[in-house]
Amino acid sequence: MGIDISAHHVKKGQRTAPKSEDPYLLLLVKLYRFLARRTDANFNKVILHRLFLSKNNRPPLSLSRITKETANTPDLSSKVIVQVGTVTDDIRLVVVPKMTVAALRFTKAARERIVNAGGEALTLDQLALRAPTGANTVLLRGVRTAREAYKHFGMGPHKNKKPYTTSKGRKFEQGRGRRKSRGFKV
């Protein structure tokens, strides 16, 4: 067994612990690390991995999105909806159905609306007590590419991506793609 010359000193890409020093998050990691090791459920491994992720990779999930995604879920009243991230309120949703949601955090309005609808807003450690193997849970996550920055990625001619311009006025890249002085010439 020799040394792998080409992949020598190459770090693994995935995180094995969160970058954050938040003591509550670290306690959750300790709890789910134990559950991932001691139970056969893949659910705990997924939760643990998502706890490691950066904030950009833990996008928020709105109440309207939760309602839409779980509309066809059979026997939803006995299930817990799980989101490793923030659950936010959506004022476009007029009636919030009764549901049990477990998340890393809730916005004030979202928690209020869930509780007022007769539902429950759980923390992930309460979820571990209630469903240590993830039985009767619905695991959801927010849309990662919903961030404004994603509109600019992959910029180039004919890519229909959003340019980083100062403004959208008359003098700002209106001849874009037609001449060199306005961004680029095709």
Side-chain angles (χ1 to χ4, degrees):
M1 195 81 188
I3 296 167
D4 186 350
I5 302 295
S6 61
H8 198 41
H9 299 305
V10 174
K11 279 187 175 178
K12 284 193 171 71
Q14 60 271 37
R15 289 185 177 185
T16 52
K19 271 263 174 74
S20 167
E21 291 173 6
D22 178 6
Y24 299 108
L25 181 68
L26 296 178
L27 283 169
L28 274 178
V29 166
K30 205 175 264 192
L31 169 65
Y32 275 95
R33 215 186 274 279
F34 172 81
L35 287 171
R37 191 178 73 244
R38 294 298 297 267
T39 62
D40 293 332
N42 200 39
F43 173 83
N44 292 320
K45 291 184 178 68
V46 173
I47 296 285
L48 180 66
H49 176 254
R50 289 189 191 180
L51 286 170
F52 294 162
L53 297 178
S54 64
K55 195 176 177 187
N56 278 345
N57 291 325
R58 283 188 287 106
L61 193 61
S62 69
L63 288 178
S64 58
R65 176 62 71 126
I66 292 172
T67 308
K68 193 175 102 177
E69 296 292 345
T70 57
N72 299 324
T73 308
D75 198 25
L76 186 65
S77 56
S78 64
K79 288 186 165 62
V80 181
I81 298 156
V82 184
Q83 142 78 339
V84 184
T86 310
V87 171
T88 58
D89 183 25
D90 190 348
I91 54 170
R92 295 168 298 184
L93 183 69
V94 182
V95 179
V96 178
K98 183 182 177 181
M99 56 185 168
T100 308
V101 187
L104 210 51
R105 54 185 294 272
F106 295 86
T107 61
K108 201 173 180 182
R111 186 190 298 274
E112 216 167 77
R113 287 189 75 184
I114 291 168
V115 172
N116 287 348
E120 285 181 283
L122 305 174
T123 56
L124 291 179
D125 52 310
Q126 288 171 321
L127 173 74
L129 289 170
R130 197 175 288 197
T133 59
N136 292 323
T137 57
V138 180
L139 190 57
L140 297 177
R141 56 179 159 188
V143 185
R144 210 173 272 198
T145 53
R147 262 170 62 223
E148 209 275 338
Y150 273 89
K151 292 178 183 174
H152 301 279
F153 294 164
M155 190 63 223
H158 308 304
K159 293 287 178 66
N160 291 323
K161 290 297 184 174
K162 193 174 184 180
Y164 286 112
T165 54
T166 320
S167 178
K168 241 190 148 179
R170 171 189 56 80
K171 356 177 237 198
F172 302 98
E173 298 199 17
Q174 285 302 302
R176 185 173 179 77
R178 303 298 178 97
R179 58 183 70 85
K180 270 280 198 303
S181 65
R182 298 288 178 272
F184 59 89
K185 168 109 173 71
V186 176

